[in-house]
Amino acid sequence: SYVLQRLLEDDGELIITEDGGRRIKPHPMFRIVATANTQGSGDETGHYNGARVQSAAFLDRFTVWSEATYLGRWDVLKLVDNNETIADYYAEHVSAFIGSSIRLPITPRGLVSWAELNKVINDIEVSFEATILNRASEADRAVMKGIMDRVAA
């Protein structure tokens, strides 16, 4: 991230030291977008291993901040071809994650994998186990299985 600091200045440029210090001026419409699950504060929860604290000087170079929330039900249903069980599971999983009952986040990529496998094998619980549950810790598995038992009933 420190390599980007100079580029993020008002009249910044990118310096490629591996190419003899070549300087590259950005296009006037150049923009950079970054994401951070920890807002640059590092990870104290264990959810995002390897996330490091970013310096205040680096974070200050990003002038606009926005928070992306979890998907709403309508978006989840569109993502998983209107599978109500998956949408119900997702809502409960997110609540459990936010409440720290589960350490494993559930992602849109995971939802799509689950929905796609379910279309092929037509078994919601087996597809859940293969795409979501099997990567969880033992403690998370118990909570996740309980959620699945409720929503699939």
Side-chain angles (χ1 to χ4, degrees):
S1 64
Y2 294 104
V3 172
L4 297 176
Q5 282 193 12
R6 183 177 178 101
L7 178 63
L8 294 172
E9 292 294 329
D10 287 339
D11 290 322
E13 59 189 1
L14 182 64
I15 300 174
I16 312 293
T17 55
E18 296 84 2
D19 192 14
R22 182 169 53 115
R23 296 173 180 264
I24 301 172
K25 281 283 211 193
H27 185 277
M29 293 301 296
F30 169 78
R31 301 293 181 267
I32 191 166
V33 176
T35 62
N37 291 322
T38 67
Q39 291 80 24
S41 302
D43 179 33
E44 296 174 359
T45 66
H47 291 145
Y48 306 103
N49 290 333
R52 297 189 177 141
V53 175
Q54 300 297 310
S55 74
F58 179 68
L59 295 174
D60 192 50
R61 285 168 169 78
F62 292 92
T63 56
V64 176
W65 290 71
S66 177
E67 183 175 343
T69 60
Y70 289 96
L71 296 173
R73 184 170 184 80
W74 176 248
D75 292 321
V76 173
L77 285 168
K78 287 192 300 186
L79 195 62
V80 299
D81 295 326
N82 293 312
N83 187 307
E84 297 278 343
T85 302
I86 294 176
D88 290 345
Y89 177 86
Y90 174 80
E92 286 203 36
H93 186 113
V94 166
S95 291
F97 179 76
I98 291 170
S100 298
S101 298
I102 298 174
R103 290 177 45 102
L104 181 69
I106 190 164
T107 65
R109 186 178 307 118
L111 291 175
V112 169
S113 296
W114 180 10
E116 287 177 352
L117 182 58
N118 188 58
K119 280 192 274 186
V120 172
I121 67 173
N122 198 30
D123 189 321
I124 196 74
E125 292 188 36
V126 170
S127 57
F128 167 71
E129 186 175 327
T131 57
I132 305 295
L133 189 64
N134 283 345
R135 62 181 156 172
S137 69
E138 285 302 314
D140 280 357
R141 286 174 68 97
V143 176
M144 293 164 66
K145 184 81 171 96
I147 294 170
M148 188 59 188
D149 289 346
R150 275 193 309 281
V151 300

